[in-house]
């Protein structure tokens, strides 16, 4: 019989590992830490080599009632939407979340304009109520986020939070805070790999280690530019495996946030009977966005609907048990 | 981009003097500084003036490998000198032998060593009749080299074809022939076959040396040259090379791409 040629693809470099959360042995109070990244091959190509750590899913919690969320995604959380601590506990106790993402949307001056002290108190309460590693996202207003993160970073000192976002026009403050308090950060460059690489370079110039950075290109939802996110992540992974040190960071995607902006997810069945029940359709839209991006190299997914979260975890286990 | 740093060579007066005086610091500084400047390999050549080239090679190899873990290239066409280097070389650092001509009897001497040490090896497209003015003859020499590599079961990614760069003032038709040879290599032998050259020779005896070196390097890169033995201290040259890689879509653009490529 003819010899079957070895067609394994091998690469000389790998994606950096990124660790979120610190347990008692490292001075934190988390029950465990989570490590992602480390792949030496393209996503899930474990037949080629070391596929690295499994991607992880976080459930999203906000410090305000997210009145802009459609009913289909409010429904599973309806009893806890006004209480971030109860919401966090529900994520962990009922849905088995190993990672949470607390989005401080309530600090937005256009929303409730909650102050830095309020935000830090919420972070502290959540850290006390649940013991899983925590991602904390700002509200998106740079000035406000800088003030909020000063307090939040201090409140979570030693817990190795993952904080976001560092952006081209506003990254120095967050880098300094993460350096001082031992956190990791998310570098955000919207759908532009050249800007993403430049931001990584500038963060690296501040001597912040690349294995404490997750990159975030913003996420196009299925039907709304997902292919742009996909091709950026694909290029990033190939560049990382080809030795580009600024492209070796782990990758994050906010699938819940994006998918639930799509009208195909949002529209109630009463307005679009041909699309079927939104309680099924919406989570599926979120999950399909997530599955696609996992194939492109996403390491951390932030989910909203528990059904999408469950589907993502089951898919990841099947792909990389 | 795979730069082979040319500076540890007895033809440079400071190195010549360091060899004579056993002044290790000069050699270590060049090893470290060339690595910082982007050298993926450090070429080690005793020069022609060393009284005892074998001893000089041993000393240079040991000295360099005390200073850094950068892969090294043992540069001599004399087998005893290369063998002397092999006696003391660290086995945990990639190794290159530089260089052997395309004569079968020479390849039979050198390839077993390359195999034994899992070393890359620079193979010149010239043979005992010299450097042919005929592209086909040069390609024929490449075929001889590749045939021998297969015989000795050496992967073609270890074979660095050197199309032999001559001074532009001596042969203005040379670069074009080199480009043609480079273009044919992957077509004939597959994409993994490597290539290199001693770049600075192109401008030997010329007035505009840095400019000629720089342009030649980018043209070589555009024709698929995978590495070159260069002066890595020439920042303009290295910048041009990084930019050539960028223009060939070998890296992702960012405004600080020169810094990023040097990380």
């Amino acid at each position: 019989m003819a010899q079957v040629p070895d067609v394994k693809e091998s690469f000389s470099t790998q994606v950096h590992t990124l660790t979120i959360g610190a347990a008692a042995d490292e001075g934190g109070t988390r029950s465990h830490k989570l490590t992602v990244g480390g792949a030496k091959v393209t996503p899930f190509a474990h037949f080629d080599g070391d596929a690295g750590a499994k991607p992880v899913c976080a459930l999203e919690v906000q410090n305000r009632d997210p009145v802009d969320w459609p009913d289909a995604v409010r429904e599973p959380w309806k009893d806890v939407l006004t209480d971030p601590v109860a919401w966090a506990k529900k994520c962990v106790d009922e849905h088995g979340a190993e990672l949470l993402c607390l989005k401080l949307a309530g600090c937005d001056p256009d929303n409730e304009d909650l102050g830095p002290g309020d935000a830090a108190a919420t972070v502290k309460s959540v850290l006390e109520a649940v013991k899983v590693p925590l991602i904390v996202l700002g509200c998106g207003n740079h000035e406000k986020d800088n003030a909020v993160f000063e307090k939040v970073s201090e409140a979570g000192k030693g817990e190795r939070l993952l904080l976001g976002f560092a952006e081209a026009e506003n990254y120095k403050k967050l880098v300094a805070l993460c350096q001082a308090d031992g956190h990791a950060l998310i570098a955000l460059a919207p759908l532009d790999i050249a800007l993403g690489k430049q931001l990584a370079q500038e963060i690296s110039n501040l001597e912040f280690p690349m294995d404490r950075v997750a990159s975030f290109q913003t996420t196009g939802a299925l039907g709304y530019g997902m292919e742009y996110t996909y091709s950026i992540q694909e290029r990033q992974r190939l560049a990382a495996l080809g030795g580009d040190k600024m492209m070796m960071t782990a990758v994050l995607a906010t699938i819940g946030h994006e998918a639930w902006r799509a009208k195909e997810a949002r529209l109630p069945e009463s307005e679009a009977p041909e699309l079927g029940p939104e309680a099924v359709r919406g989570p599926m839209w979120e999950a399909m966005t997530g599955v696609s991006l996992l194939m492109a190299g996403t390491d951390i997914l932030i989910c909203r609907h528990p059904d999408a979260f469950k589907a993502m975890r089951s898919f990841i286990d099947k792909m990389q048990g | 981009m795979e730069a082979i740093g040319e500076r540890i060579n007895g033809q440079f007066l400071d190195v010549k003097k360091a060899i004579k005086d056993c002044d290790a610091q000069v050699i270590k500084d060049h090893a470290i500084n060339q690595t910082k400047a982007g050298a993926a390999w450090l070429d080690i050549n005793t020069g022609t003036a060393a009284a005892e080239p074998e001893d000089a090679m041993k000393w240079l190899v040991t000295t360099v490998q005390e200073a850094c873990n950068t892969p090294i290239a043992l540069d001599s066409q004399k087998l005893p000198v290369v063998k002397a280097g092999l006696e003391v070389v660290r086995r945990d650092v990639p190794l290159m032998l530089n260089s052997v001509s395309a004569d079968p009897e020479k390849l039979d001497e050198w390839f077993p060593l390359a195999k034994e040490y899992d070393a890359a090896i620079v193979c010149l497209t010239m043979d005992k009749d010299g450097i042919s003015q005929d592209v086909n003859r040069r390609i024929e020499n490449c075929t001889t080299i590749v045939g021998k590599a297969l015989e000795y079961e050496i992967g073609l990614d270890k074979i660095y074809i050197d199309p032999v760069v001559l001074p532009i003032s001596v042969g203005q038709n040379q670069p074009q022939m080199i480009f043609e040879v480079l273009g044919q290599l992957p077509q004939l032998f597959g994409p993994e076959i490597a290539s290199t050259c001693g770049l600075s020779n192109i401008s030997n005896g010329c007035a505009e040396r840095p400019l000629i070196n720089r342009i030649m390097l980018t043209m070589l890169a555009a024709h698929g040259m995978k590495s070159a033995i260069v002066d890595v201290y020439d920042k303009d040259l290295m910048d041009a090379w990084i930019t050539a890689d960028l223009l060939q879509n070998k890296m992702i653009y960012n405004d600080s791409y020169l810094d990023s490529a040097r990380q």
Side-chain angles (χ1 to χ4, degrees):
Chain A
M1 196 175 114
Q3 198 184 352
V4 179
D6 181 3
V7 292
K8 280 184 182 173
E9 280 201 80
S10 67
F11 303 92
S12 51
T13 50
Q14 66 189 99
V15 177
H16 287 310
T17 54
L18 169 73
T19 300
I20 315 169
D25 61 326
E26 293 181 288
T29 63
R30 304 300 84 203
S31 59
H32 61 276
K33 59 184 178 185
L34 279 176
T35 297
V36 296
K40 296 177 178 169
V41 294
T42 50
F44 302 114
H46 40 76
F47 38 82
D48 276 345
D50 183 355
K54 276 203 294 192
V56 296
C57 304
L59 272 169
E60 179 176 337
V61 172
Q62 297 200 355
N63 67 338
R64 75 184 286 255
D65 181 356
V67 289
D68 52 325
W69 288 15
D71 287 344
V73 66
R74 286 176 63 83
E75 174 65 23
W77 309 112
K78 63 182 180 212
D79 50 336
V80 293
L81 286 170
T82 55
D83 180 353
V85 173
W87 191 349
K89 283 178 81 76
K90 189 177 177 111
C91 290
V92 175
D93 297 343
E94 287 182 30
H95 300 288
E98 298 168 302
L99 177 66
L100 286 184
C101 172
L102 173 59
K103 182 168 179 174
L104 300 172
C107 298
D108 191 330
D110 293 338
N111 292 331
E112 289 75 12
D113 199 17
L114 300 172
D118 189 297
T122 303
V123 168
K124 257 199 151 26
S125 305
V126 169
L127 285 169
E128 276 161 23
V130 295
K131 294 297 165 192
V132 301
L134 189 62
I135 301 168
V136 183
L137 302 183
C139 66
N141 177 305
H142 290 161
E143 201 179 326
K144 186 66 182 285
D145 279 344
N146 284 343
V148 165
F149 274 124
E150 198 165 312
K151 296 289 177 200
V152 164
S153 175
E154 196 187 341
K157 185 166 181 159
E159 301 285 7
R160 200 187 277 132
L161 306 174
L162 177 60
L163 303 179
F165 301 110
E167 298 183 58
E169 57 278 20
N170 187 46
Y171 65 93
K172 289 181 182 165
K173 175 93 178 181
L174 193 59
V175 169
L177 290 171
C178 288
Q179 238 152 3
D181 294 329
H183 302 307
L185 63 80
I186 305 165
L188 162 64
L191 292 181
D192 186 325
I193 197 164
L195 292 180
K197 185 173 170 182
Q198 182 66 17
L199 179 57
Q201 178 66 54
E202 286 174 20
I203 291 172
S204 171
N205 289 348
L206 298 176
E207 298 191 356
F208 194 79
M210 285 292 107
D211 62 358
R212 269 164 60 196
V213 176
S215 54
F216 177 45
Q217 294 83 17
T218 67
T219 303
L222 178 62
Y224 293 84
M226 192 264 291
E227 59 276 27
Y228 292 99
T229 313
Y230 187 101
S231 65
I232 287 175
Q233 292 192 9
E234 189 180 36
R235 280 185 75 196
Q236 172 164 351
R237 173 65 67 90
L238 291 173
L241 297 177
D244 188 332
K245 292 200 169 67
M246 294 302 118
M247 294 275 94
M248 291 179 185
T249 46
V251 176
L252 174 132
T254 53
I255 57 169
H257 174 76
E258 292 302 328
W260 289 96
R261 282 156 44 135
K263 84 169 185 296
E264 289 82 352
R266 292 182 77 94
L267 276 182
E269 191 179 6
S270 56
E271 287 178 35
E274 72 280 9
L275 294 180
E278 67 268 26
V280 176
R281 182 190 349 119
M284 205 176 283
W285 209 264
E286 183 177 344
M288 288 312 297
T289 302
V291 164
S292 308
L293 294 178
L294 281 170
M295 304 308 281
T298 300
D299 299 288
I300 304 164
L301 295 162
I302 299 176
C303 309
R304 277 192 180 168
H305 197 289
D307 291 348
F309 173 71
K310 197 173 155 198
M312 295 318 316
R313 297 222 297 181
S314 140
F315 176 79
I316 291 167
D317 285 342
K318 277 183 192 148
M319 293 298 286
Q320 196 173 335
Chain B
M1 142 150 168
E2 220 177 288
I4 305 173
E6 69 179 9
R7 200 53 181 70
I8 302 174
N9 186 319
Q11 287 183 45
F12 291 98
L13 293 180
D14 60 338
V15 174
K16 184 178 177 181
K17 186 167 182 303
I19 294 172
K20 190 161 159 277
D21 302 345
C22 282
D23 182 353
Q25 203 52 47
V26 172
I27 305 303
K28 288 183 179 182
D29 285 350
H30 278 311
I32 291 163
N33 292 335
Q34 287 191 103
T35 302
K36 280 185 190 158
W41 299 84
L42 299 172
D43 194 65
I44 298 178
N45 187 319
T46 62
T48 48
E52 301 288 344
E54 284 90 348
D55 291 345
M57 181 58 96
K58 281 186 193 174
W59 180 75
L60 285 172
V61 168
T62 308
T63 307
V64 166
Q65 297 207 315
E66 279 169 12
C68 62
N69 297 325
T70 312
I72 59 166
L74 305 180
D75 183 359
S76 175
Q77 300 206 21
K78 293 184 183 140
L79 200 53
V81 178
V82 168
K83 281 183 174 166
L86 290 174
E87 277 178 39
V88 296
V89 81
R90 272 170 55 184
R91 298 300 295 266
D92 60 332
V93 173
L95 184 66
M96 182 184 284
L97 310 182
N98 179 20
S99 59
V100 59
S101 63
D103 301 297
E105 61 277 15
K106 288 272 183 201
L107 295 167
D108 281 331
E109 285 174 3
W110 286 66
F111 276 8
L113 281 178
K115 179 73 182 168
E116 185 187 340
Y117 284 84
D118 195 27
I121 180 163
V122 178
C123 305
L124 309 172
T125 58
M126 60 183 284
D127 55 26
K128 58 182 183 299
D129 298 330
I131 301 168
S132 173
Q133 295 305 307
D134 176 9
V135 170
N136 290 327
R137 182 64 197 278
R138 295 187 187 199
I139 290 292
E140 202 180 307
N141 282 336
C142 293
T143 309
T144 305
I145 293 162
V146 170
K148 281 286 177 192
L150 294 176
E151 190 183 321
Y152 286 97
E153 296 184 328
I154 297 171
L156 292 190
D157 57 329
K158 300 269 187 195
I159 300 292
Y160 283 65
I161 298 289
D162 181 343
V164 189
V165 170
L166 296 173
I168 192 66
S169 53
V170 171
Q172 275 191 251
N173 60 343
Q174 295 293 320
Q176 202 55 45
M177 274 195 269
I178 290 172
F179 301 149
E180 281 184 45
V181 170
L182 285 175
Q184 290 198 32
L185 287 180
Q187 293 173 26
L188 290 171
F189 309 117
E192 67 270 29
I193 192 159
S195 46
T196 193
C197 67
L199 178 75
S200 308
N201 206 29
I202 189 70
S203 61
N204 210 351
C206 302
E208 300 284 357
R209 291 206 69 172
L211 180 63
I212 295 172
N213 290 347
R214 195 151 75 230
I215 304 290
M216 180 64 174
L217 183 62
T218 56
M219 292 184 79
L220 287 166
H223 285 88
M225 180 68 87
K226 292 192 179 172
S227 76
I229 304 167
V230 298
D231 175 10
V232 293
Y233 297 149
D234 181 344
K235 185 170 180 296
D236 288 342
L237 180 84
M238 299 301 278
D239 282 352
W241 201 354
I242 294 167
T243 306
D245 276 355
L246 175 74
L247 296 175
Q248 288 182 286
N249 198 20
K250 290 183 181 171
M251 59 194 275
I252 291 169
Y253 175 80
N254 60 318
D255 285 347
S256 304
Y257 71 92
L258 294 170
D259 290 339
S260 296
R262 287 194 163 93
Q263 291 280 321

